[in-house]
Amino acid sequence: MNKQKTRMSPSPVAIPVMMSVVVIILINLMPAQSSSSPTLTITPKILKKSGDTALIEWSNVPSPSSLDWLGIYSPPDSSHDCFIGYKFLNTSPSWASGSGSISLPLTNLRSKYSFRIFRWTQSEVDLTKLDHDHNPLPGTAHLLSQSKPLGFAAGRGPEQVHLAFTDEESEMRVMFVAEDAEERYVRYGEGEEEMDEVVVARVERYERDDMCDAPANSSVGWRDPGWVFDGVIKGLKKGVRYYYQVGSDSKGWSKIHSFVSRNEDSDETIAFLFGDMGTATPYSTFLRTQDESISTVKWILRDIEALGDKPAFVSHIGDISYARGYSWLWDQFFAQIEPLASKVAYHVCIGNHEYDWPLQPWRPDWAKTIYRTDGGGECGVPYSLKFHMPGNSLEPTGTRSPATRNLYYSFNNGVVHFVYISTETNFFPGSSQYNFIKHDLESVDRNKTPFVVVQGHRPMYTTGNENRDAPMREKMLEHLEPLFVKNKVNLVLWGHVHRYERFCPLNNFTCGSMGFNGEKWEAFPIHVVIGMAGQDWQPIWAPRADHPNDPIYPQPQRSMYRGGEFGYTRLVATKEKLVLSYVGNHDGEVHDMVEILASGQVLNNGGGGGNMGSVTAGSGAGVEVAESKFTWYVKGASLLILGAFMGYVLGYISRTRKANTPGKTWTLVKTEDT
């Protein structure tokens, strides 16, 4: 009998169980993958003060892309496209793993921060939404993760402390910013333990509706500016160091600062002067920021600290923060200069990037291509309230905005009379500014202040590519130069062009004789362009092998020295002589110098300093630059320590290295933005 084997079928219940087992086995055999969502954490959660660093860490970012980016927001509830800055995740070395970190020093904006990670794909790049360098702004369509808010500690005291002279020699103005209008004070004295004197600071602020145009009055550019406080310390002794704090018992006090009061009886004047510095940010934003400003501040701070108890001040002649309607850049700027501006008076004059807008009150037909939208809609409002210069100059804006202040003023400092003017408002005969300049120059007591220095933003003379401003220069030559020549102004300093250039003593494009060979000499003003403190949107003068088609600007006889090095100028004057030195940021050394006697004669026309890549000296130059007493003062400590012999050896090595170092090259970024 044939037996047949019976085939058993699995029960319906067993099938799902077996399939589940198979699935589990397959899952275990597959490569491990994280199912977690992207995370974003911030350490610490509270910062103590502006400039403190936050560590931003992320993990579990799926399929990392080089276009993934971190958005920086303040206040935290800002819409996605209203970031204040951004960093691409690929700036972290470990970004490709889906995890990484970025450290950012943050400025207190009186509002908390938050951070967001976005996925941005190549197909979403929008070439109609560009930053100031014409790079596409990152897209916000795909949010991957968002952090919890990060804030600043309460009771830390006000920030953005800066000083200024008033019309009285025995006073010092102290300004600062706080988050509310509650009463604040300045307490001060001649010692850190003797700050028994107290003054109340007055307070004011501006609103979004005070701005004249976008981006300043838009949700992208506007941020709450806080409250600006202004206190005046009176009855100061001459040339004495005072210590001070700002704040209140209820809201906290700042750290202790100090300054040396000015002394008009002094036979020495020291100042640090430049234009167009701007500020640096640790992130990218809608505008190009000025990284080189960090070095400018560093070297000037070195010089100030070397002075000990000698008084000095800083002069920044226009294009101050380059905020141009993006409010937080003003905060960044004041945080950056506080180490300087809390020690010495920080004086300014207005530039095109603080003020210009299409409906500004004075805009003659010849100026319609000159006065444009350079102010980003600010129309001088932040500049007018955040600074308070001597005098009472102001011009109505013709809108609800407060009148524009700090336009023209003057003061004595030691042996020099300093005059500040506005190239952005009416300077024609009959205007209030022209009348001020004329009366001021005619009233100078040359026995008390043998030197007169005038400062403004747009230059009367330049050999750079400034064709757009040519009509303005013609008007300045017509109306202002005769006042300068007649009243024997010694030195005229300008910004706007982001390079250094020094001219011979000039009157109507003609060099006056300087009496080097015993001939009769003429005391014409020396014009110097000093807009080289940070902004770099300017072509160089010298040709470059890799840019054969870029324009080259010939150096005429009247141009004694031209430099492409970032830096600043240092002015040191006594009753007998004024010395203006051009200090380069790459080494902190003097690269050009001019010396002017009290009689107006140019004693040393400089022109030395060697080749700095894009530095050229005109045919009238050739006198070797001599180091000033101030330069030796700065170097004194190291010379004493090293001794004369080691100083000689190290100096020889340094000079040899400089002689064999190729000059810097500069990349043309943009030619029109000044």
Side-chain angles (χ1 to χ4, degrees):
M1 179 177 171
N2 294 330
K3 294 182 178 180
Q4 294 182 343
K5 294 184 178 179
T6 305
R7 198 167 191 175
M8 301 288 294
S9 299
S11 70
V13 176
I15 293 175
V17 174
M18 294 175 62
M19 291 180 66
S20 298
V21 172
V22 171
V23 169
I24 292 172
I25 294 172
L26 290 174
I27 289 175
N28 288 332
L29 292 174
M30 291 174 65
Q33 292 187 355
S34 173
S35 61
S36 301
S37 300
T39 61
L40 187 58
T41 59
I42 313 298
T43 309
K45 293 181 174 56
I46 296 178
L47 299 177
K48 293 181 179 179
K49 64 182 186 308
S50 280
D52 284 357
T53 297
L55 177 65
I56 300 104
E57 298 177 284
W58 64 88
S59 60
N60 300 321
V61 172
S63 305
S65 162
S66 61
L67 293 181
D68 294 340
W69 61 282
L70 176 77
I72 305 155
Y73 293 84
S74 182
D77 59 355
S78 300
S79 61
H80 286 339
D81 60 345
C82 289
F83 50 80
I84 67 167
Y86 59 92
K87 297 274 288 186
F88 286 101
L89 300 192
N90 64 12
T91 57
S92 173
S94 61
W95 72 275
S97 69
S99 300
S101 64
I102 293 174
S103 293
L104 289 177
L106 297 174
T107 296
N108 178 21
L109 302 181
R110 300 158 303 281
S111 176
K112 292 182 178 181
Y113 281 83
S114 70
F115 304 87
R116 305 168 198 174
I117 290 179
F118 293 93
R119 168 68 38 87
W120 186 36
T121 65
Q122 192 67 43
S123 63
E124 295 171 323
V125 173
D126 186 350
L127 296 180
T128 67
K129 296 181 179 180
L130 306 175
D131 67 13
H132 212 199
D133 273 338
H134 304 289
N135 298 314
L137 290 166
T140 60
H142 311 293
L143 176 66
L144 299 184
S145 185
Q146 182 168 338
S147 75
K148 293 181 178 180
L150 173 148
F152 284 81
R156 63 193 173 275
E159 296 182 325
Q160 304 183 27
V161 180
H162 56 288
L163 304 173
F165 298 139
T166 73
D167 290 314
E168 299 296 327
E169 177 198 357
S170 61
E171 297 179 351
M172 182 68 83
R173 187 178 303 280
V174 184
M175 300 188 74
F176 52 93
V177 171
E179 68 276 10
D180 59 47
E182 184 176 307
E183 195 165 76
R184 262 88 167 180
Y185 309 89
V186 182
R187 62 185 184 191
Y188 64 98
E190 293 185 41
E192 293 190 44
E193 305 299 325
E194 304 170 13
M195 295 187 296
D196 302 322
E197 301 293 328
V198 177
V199 297
V200 177
R202 70 179 183 88
V203 60
E204 61 182 334
R205 64 174 276 133
Y206 55 91
E207 305 293 344
R208 179 171 172 173
D209 288 343
D210 293 327
M211 304 293 104
C212 297
D213 209 341
N217 62 5
S218 72
S219 56
V220 172
W222 171 258
R223 297 294 185 279
D224 189 299
W227 294 81
V228 181
F229 288 80
D230 183 343
V232 177
I233 301 175
K234 300 182 178 182
L236 299 174
K237 300 174 184 177
K238 296 181 179 182
V240 171
R241 182 172 293 280
Y242 286 87
Y243 296 84
Y244 71 99
Q245 280 181 299
V246 299
S248 68
D249 290 339
S250 61
K251 291 299 179 75
W253 292 89
S254 71
K255 62 179 286 189
I256 296 175
H257 303 283
S258 72
F259 64 85
V260 178
S261 58
R262 62 175 162 164
N263 181 5
E264 289 189 13
D265 296 335
S266 173
D267 62 355
E268 184 177 46
T269 299
I270 299 172
F272 305 95
L273 315 101
F274 53 83
D276 305 73
M277 184 171 76
T279 189
T281 58
Y283 46 74
S284 298
T285 187
F286 298 92
L287 299 175
R288 196 167 201 263
T289 54
Q290 297 74 41
D291 290 346
E292 194 64 31
S293 62
I294 296 172
S295 294
T296 302
V297 170
K298 176 189 73 174
W299 290 119
I300 296 176
L301 188 59
R302 170 205 64 176
D303 289 354
I304 289 173
E305 292 175 343
L307 288 174
D309 288 336
K310 290 187 175 184
F313 74 96
V314 165
S315 185
H316 187 163
I317 56 173
D319 288 4
I320 310 297
S321 70
Y322 281 98
R324 292 163 286 180
Y326 294 94
S327 174
W328 62 89
L329 293 180
W330 277 111
D331 295 289
Q332 193 76 23
F333 170 80
F334 278 107
Q336 184 172 323
I337 68 164
E338 185 178 289
L340 293 177
S342 61
K343 291 180 172 64
V344 298
Y346 197 101
H347 277 257
V348 294
C349 67
I350 199 164
N352 53 304
H353 286 298
E354 284 74 60
Y355 184 71
D356 292 8
W357 85 100
L359 298 179
Q360 64 193 78
W362 191 66
R363 195 167 178 256
D365 289 341
W366 56 264
K368 290 189 185 301
T369 60
I370 298 172
Y371 298 143
R372 302 190 297 178
T373 60
D374 298 347
E378 292 183 354
C379 52
V381 175
Y383 168 83
S384 296
L385 272 71
K386 289 176 177 291
F387 295 103
H388 190 162
M389 298 294 101
N392 58 2
S393 63
L394 55 85
E395 292 288 344
T397 60
T399 70
R400 65 154 279 168
S401 304
T404 308
R405 312 174 195 169
N406 308 318
L407 294 173
Y408 45 88
Y409 61 95
S410 67
F411 58 83
N412 291 337
N413 189 279
V415 298
V416 181
H417 181 71
F418 292 92
V419 184
Y420 292 77
I421 67 173
S422 165
T423 59
E424 310 309 298
T425 55
N426 193 349
F427 54 82
F428 278 22
S431 67
S432 58
Q433 176 168 209
Y434 181 90
N435 293 338
F436 165 82
I437 297 170
K438 182 176 185 296
H439 179 265
D440 187 84
L441 293 179
E442 291 173 349
S443 304
V444 176
D445 181 353
R446 301 304 278 258
N447 292 318
K448 185 175 183 179
T449 53
F451 298 99
V452 176
V453 176
V454 174
Q455 299 168 85
H457 184 60
R458 297 184 196 249
M460 185 180 295
Y461 289 100
T462 175
T463 61
N465 182 25
E466 272 300 296
N467 293 331
R468 193 182 81 199
D469 283 0
M472 167 172 279
R473 290 198 297 275
E474 292 175 2
K475 302 299 182 183
M476 294 168 73
L477 287 163
E478 178 184 356
H479 301 304
L480 297 181
E481 186 174 48
L483 293 179
F484 298 166
V485 172
K486 178 183 177 182
N487 292 285
K488 299 187 183 305
V489 170
N490 302 99
L491 192 62
V492 188
L493 303 176
W494 309 103
H496 196 58
V497 176
H498 307 141
R499 295 292 179 259
Y500 172 87
E501 182 169 26
R502 176 176 53 80
F503 292 89
C504 65
L506 274 176
N507 182 19
N508 194 25
F509 290 95
T510 303
C511 289
S513 172
M514 290 173 283
F516 289 153
N517 300 314
E519 73 276 14
K520 182 180 178 180
W521 55 272
E522 299 166 275
F524 291 158
I526 292 180
H527 293 252
V528 188
V529 178
I530 57 171
M532 68 296 184
Q535 181 65 289
D536 64 350
W537 283 349
Q538 205 80 31
I540 64 168
W541 290 289
R544 293 172 294 173
D546 57 340
H547 290 71
N549 296 323
D550 278 356
I552 301 168
Y553 309 109
Q555 185 170 14
Q557 183 81 12
R558 64 181 176 274
S559 175
M560 308 304 291
Y561 193 93
R562 303 196 300 192
E565 171 79 5
F566 291 106
Y568 59 97
T569 60
R570 177 198 299 147
L571 183 151
V572 181
T574 64
K575 284 279 189 181
E576 294 76 31
K577 183 172 65 174
L578 182 151
V579 179
L580 185 76
S581 305
Y582 163 38
V583 181
N585 274 359
H586 82 284
D587 60 2
E589 298 292 332
V590 174
H591 295 285
D592 183 45
M593 180 186 292
V594 62
E595 298 178 284
I596 308 170
L597 294 180
S599 62
Q601 185 176 15
V602 178
L603 181 65
N604 172 10
N605 199 42
N611 183 359
M612 295 192 298
S614 56
V615 170
T616 52
S619 57
V623 181
E624 184 177 356
V625 173
E627 289 193 85
S628 69
K629 291 180 181 179
F630 182 86
T631 303
W632 282 110
Y633 182 77
V634 172
K635 296 180 179 179
S638 59
L639 290 173
L640 288 172
I641 295 171
L642 294 174
F645 175 75
M646 286 301 295
Y648 171 80
V649 172
L650 292 176
Y652 175 80
I653 294 172
S654 175
R655 289 192 298 272
T656 303
R657 285 179 176 174
K658 284 183 183 179
N660 293 319
T661 300
K664 285 189 175 183
T665 58
W666 296 85
T667 302
L668 176 64
V669 178
K670 192 175 181 181
T671 61
E672 294 183 356
D673 201 309
T674 49

Coordinates of all heavy atoms in Angstrom, one line a residue, residues 162-166 171-175 231 262 341 344-347 387-390:
H162 N 30.9 105.7 25.2 CA 31.8 106.5 24.4 C 31.8 107.9 24.9 O 30.8 108.4 25.4 CB 31.5 106.4 22.9 CG 30.1 106.8 22.5 ND1 29.0 106.0 22.7 CD2 29.6 107.9 21.8 CE1 27.9 106.5 22.3 NE2 28.3 107.7 21.7
L163 N 33.0 108.6 24.7 CA 33.2 109.9 25.2 C 33.2 111.0 24.1 O 33.4 110.6 22.9 CB 34.5 110.0 25.9 CG 34.8 109.0 27.1 CD1 36.2 109.1 27.6 CD2 33.8 109.3 28.2
A164 N 33.0 112.2 24.5 CA 33.1 113.3 23.5 C 33.4 114.6 24.3 O 33.0 114.8 25.4 CB 31.9 113.5 22.6
F165 N 34.1 115.5 23.6 CA 34.3 116.8 24.2 C 33.0 117.6 24.1 O 32.2 117.4 23.2 CB 35.4 117.6 23.5 CG 36.8 117.0 23.6 CD1 37.6 116.9 22.4 CD2 37.2 116.4 24.7 CE1 38.8 116.4 22.5 CE2 38.5 115.8 24.8 CZ 39.3 115.8 23.7
T166 N 32.8 118.6 25.0 CA 31.8 119.6 24.8 C 32.4 120.9 24.4 O 33.6 121.0 24.1 CB 31.0 119.8 26.2 OG1 31.8 120.5 27.1 CG2 30.6 118.4 26.8
E171 N 34.9 120.0 30.7 CA 33.8 119.0 30.7 C 34.2 117.8 29.8 O 35.0 117.9 28.9 CB 32.5 119.6 30.2 CG 32.0 120.7 31.0 CD 30.7 121.3 30.4 OE1 30.3 121.0 29.3 OE2 30.1 122.1 31.2
M172 N 33.5 116.7 30.1 CA 33.6 115.5 29.2 C 32.2 114.9 29.1 O 31.5 114.6 30.2 CB 34.6 114.4 29.8 CG 34.7 113.2 28.9 SD 35.6 113.6 27.3 CE 37.3 113.5 27.8
R173 N 31.8 114.6 27.9 CA 30.5 114.0 27.7 C 30.6 112.5 27.7 O 31.6 111.9 27.1 CB 29.9 114.4 26.4 CG 28.4 114.0 26.1 CD 27.9 114.5 24.8 NE 28.0 115.9 24.7 CZ 27.1 116.7 25.3 NH1 26.1 116.2 26.0 NH2 27.2 118.1 25.1
V174 N 29.7 111.8 28.4 CA 29.7 110.3 28.4 C 28.4 109.8 27.9 O 27.3 110.2 28.4 CB 29.9 109.8 29.9 CG1 30.0 108.3 29.9 CG2 31.1 110.4 30.5
M175 N 28.4 109.0 26.9 CA 27.2 108.5 26.3 C 27.2 106.9 26.3 O 28.3 106.3 26.3 CB 27.0 108.9 24.8 CG 27.0 110.4 24.7 SD 26.6 111.0 23.0 CE 24.8 110.6 22.9
G231 N 25.4 111.9 29.6 CA 25.7 112.6 30.8 C 27.0 113.5 30.6 O 27.9 113.1 29.9
R262 N 41.1 117.0 29.0 CA 41.9 117.8 28.1 C 42.5 119.0 28.8 O 42.0 119.4 29.8 CB 41.1 118.2 26.8 CG 39.9 119.0 27.0 CD 39.3 119.4 25.7 NE 38.0 119.9 25.8 CZ 37.3 120.6 24.9 NH1 37.9 120.9 23.8 NH2 36.1 120.9 25.1
A341 N 36.8 104.3 22.7 CA 35.9 105.4 22.9 C 35.6 105.6 24.4 O 35.1 106.7 24.7 CB 34.7 105.3 22.1
V344 N 39.2 107.7 25.4 CA 39.4 109.0 24.8 C 38.2 109.5 24.1 O 37.3 108.7 23.6 CB 40.6 109.0 23.8 CG1 41.9 108.6 24.5 CG2 40.3 108.1 22.6
A345 N 38.0 110.8 23.9 CA 36.9 111.4 23.1 C 36.9 110.8 21.7 O 38.0 110.8 21.1 CB 37.0 112.9 23.2
Y346 N 35.7 110.5 21.2 CA 35.6 109.9 19.9 C 34.8 110.9 19.0 O 33.5 110.9 19.2 CB 34.9 108.5 19.9 CG 35.1 107.7 18.7 CD1 36.1 106.6 18.7 CD2 34.3 107.8 17.6 CE1 36.2 105.8 17.6 CE2 34.5 107.0 16.5 CZ 35.4 106.0 16.5 OH 35.6 105.2 15.4
H347 N 35.4 111.6 18.1 CA 34.7 112.6 17.4 C 34.5 112.2 15.9 O 35.3 111.5 15.3 CB 35.5 114.0 17.5 CG 35.2 114.7 18.7 ND1 34.4 115.8 18.8 CD2 35.6 114.4 20.0 CE1 34.3 116.2 20.1 NE2 35.0 115.3 20.8
F387 N 25.5 110.1 18.7 CA 26.7 111.0 18.9 C 26.2 112.4 19.4 O 25.0 112.8 19.0 CB 27.6 111.2 17.7 CG 28.3 109.9 17.3 CD1 27.8 109.2 16.2 CD2 29.4 109.5 17.9 CE1 28.4 108.1 15.7 CE2 30.0 108.3 17.5 CZ 29.5 107.6 16.4
H388 N 27.0 113.1 20.1 CA 26.6 114.5 20.5 C 27.9 115.3 20.5 O 28.7 115.2 21.5 CB 26.0 114.5 21.9 CG 25.4 115.9 22.2 ND1 24.4 116.0 23.2 CD2 25.6 117.1 21.7 CE1 24.1 117.3 23.3 NE2 24.8 118.0 22.4
M389 N 28.2 115.9 19.4 CA 29.4 116.7 19.2 C 29.2 118.1 19.7 O 28.1 118.6 20.0 CB 29.8 116.7 17.7 CG 30.0 115.4 17.1 SD 31.5 114.5 17.8 CE 30.8 113.3 19.0
P390 N 30.3 118.9 19.9 CA 30.2 120.3 20.3 C 29.4 121.1 19.3 O 29.1 120.7 18.2 CB 31.7 120.7 20.4 CG 32.5 119.5 20.5 CD 31.7 118.4 19.8

